[in-house]
Amino acid sequence: MNLKGFHHLTAVTADAPGNHKFYTDTLGLRLVKKTVNQDDTSAYHLFYADGVGSPGTDITFFDWPVGKERRGTHSVTRTGFRVGSEDALKYWQHRLTMNGVKQDKIADVAGRPTLAFEDHEGQRLSFTVDAEGEAHPWENSPVPAEHQIRGLGPITMSVPDIRHTDMVLTKLMNMTPTGSFAGTHVYKMGAAGAVGELHVTVDPSLPPAQQGAGAVHHVAFNIPYADYEAWADRLQSMKVPNSGPVDRFWFKSLYFREPNGVLFELATDAPGFATDEPMDKLGTTLSLPPFLEGKREQIEAGLKKL
């Protein structure tokens, strides 16, 4: 029972139209699913991914009318994206500059050239050179195919004390510690390259983070559909408080918090986003799971235009 790397990461925006413009126009990602938060249907849930909506490529956002995040520990602090070459990294350095995006200098992070930057709400992101795995460019992206984002890369979280978190990552989730750099511990999952790499920074001096625009809500790990019930049983047998099975229609989920409070999700690699929309129409209309379809008119009336 090994994790297949990351499935998706869900963050918070207070500006759905600006968020949509940044992630599709500036970053060139495809909006593969325009839906709502199934637990709060007044809020959009927007999924941006590669050209075919592959698991492990999507960053998603809840649109809530909230203030700015207060940064700190007990939180996910940076979301990595993979690009295929150092030439692609230089392309992005120039593109971000031309779009007025706040960025750092290219630096080595865990042995890979990396460019850290932020979106317009302070969401902390990075590009990492990693050509592992398949790429599925989006033909309508404003970014050339060879430079497009290939998917999620390393994701970084911050904790004040790693001991109990380490036990969950290694004993429950079967991750392998592979070293450390600058106070950050590296854990590998059963996926090649950066999509299978979780970075855990230890900093007891920071205050607890407070959710808001620019924050990460949760990080989801990719599991085979066939292993879903086994993972549910594993959480129960190890007495880990959790959500129990949750059917999100496009994938099935299990939610739990690691010991420092970061919300984790286990999400299946199927059925996928093309379950209710043709591949060439993904994200073009409001998509609702069957149990919300009867409330479509009410839900659409409460949503702003993107």
Side-chain angles (χ1 to χ4, degrees):
M1 292 176 62
N2 288 319
L3 303 171
K4 298 171 62 179
F6 298 110
H7 185 280
H8 66 268
L9 176 133
T10 296
V12 180
T13 178
D15 174 22
N19 177 271
H20 178 258
K21 180 175 176 59
F22 181 83
Y23 286 88
T24 58
D25 288 358
T26 302
L27 295 192
L29 291 168
R30 183 182 184 187
L31 179 65
V32 295
K33 193 62 59 179
K34 179 168 67 171
T35 186
V36 294
N37 182 327
Q38 295 179 12
D39 304 310
D40 173 14
T41 58
S42 69
Y44 273 119
H45 192 181
L46 305 175
F47 290 74
Y48 306 101
D50 69 2
V52 297
S54 308
T57 70
D58 46 322
I59 184 169
T60 89
F61 286 88
F62 295 143
D63 175 40
W64 285 324
V66 293
K68 193 175 177 64
E69 172 203 25
R70 185 183 72 187
R71 293 180 176 179
T73 191
H74 301 283
S75 66
V76 174
T77 56
R78 191 170 299 276
T79 303
F81 294 120
R82 293 176 287 117
V83 297
S85 67
E86 292 195 43
D87 283 345
L89 199 62
K90 291 175 183 176
Y91 167 88
W92 280 107
Q93 188 178 43
H94 176 74
R95 184 175 179 84
L96 296 180
T97 299
M98 292 299 98
N99 282 275
V101 176
K102 181 180 179 181
Q103 61 180 292
D104 295 343
K105 293 181 179 180
I106 294 174
D108 181 283
V109 177
R112 300 186 187 93
T114 300
L115 175 62
F117 65 102
E118 297 182 9
D119 76 4
H120 63 296
E121 293 181 291
Q123 186 69 232
R124 287 169 283 181
L125 308 164
S126 65
F127 291 121
T128 293
V129 176
D130 177 23
E132 292 281 355
E134 296 181 354
H136 300 281
W138 177 36
E139 62 181 10
N140 294 322
S141 176
V143 176
E146 67 271 21
H147 298 325
Q148 285 184 35
I149 292 169
R150 298 170 64 90
L152 294 173
I155 290 175
T156 305
M157 55 184 276
S158 172
V159 299
D161 188 327
I162 201 170
R163 288 173 297 174
H164 297 302
T165 295
D166 176 84
M167 288 184 63
V168 165
L169 298 181
T170 59
K171 305 302 183 186
L172 171 66
M173 302 177 75
N174 293 328
M175 295 189 196
T176 303
T178 60
S180 63
F181 66 95
T184 297
H185 300 258
V186 178
Y187 292 83
K188 283 290 295 180
M189 293 170 268
V195 72
E197 203 166 281
L198 178 68
H199 295 179
V200 184
T201 299
V202 180
D203 190 345
S205 69
L206 293 175
Q210 182 174 315
Q211 288 271 298
V216 169
H217 186 269
H218 65 269
V219 56
F221 301 90
N222 190 4
I223 61 173
Y225 188 85
D227 289 352
Y228 181 67
E229 292 185 7
W231 275 104
D233 291 344
R234 184 175 179 84
L235 292 173
Q236 291 300 107
S237 67
M238 297 184 76
K239 296 182 169 46
V240 177
N242 68 91
S243 64
V246 179
D247 190 344
R248 296 301 189 194
F249 186 59
W250 302 288
F251 47 87
K252 291 186 175 182
S253 301
L254 296 159
Y255 298 87
F256 63 98
R257 291 189 184 274
E258 57 82 38
N260 277 290
V262 177
L263 183 59
F264 284 176
E265 176 184 356
L266 303 178
T268 61
D269 56 6
F273 293 125
T275 300
D276 60 338
E277 294 179 301
M279 183 60 69
D280 63 343
K281 301 293 185 184
L282 292 181
T284 56
T285 60
L286 182 68
S287 180
L288 297 175
F291 71 88
L292 290 178
E293 193 58 53
K295 299 179 180 179
R296 175 175 288 275
E297 186 175 344
Q298 173 189 345
I299 289 171
E300 287 184 333
L303 296 173
K304 65 189 76 169
K305 290 186 181 298
L306 291 182

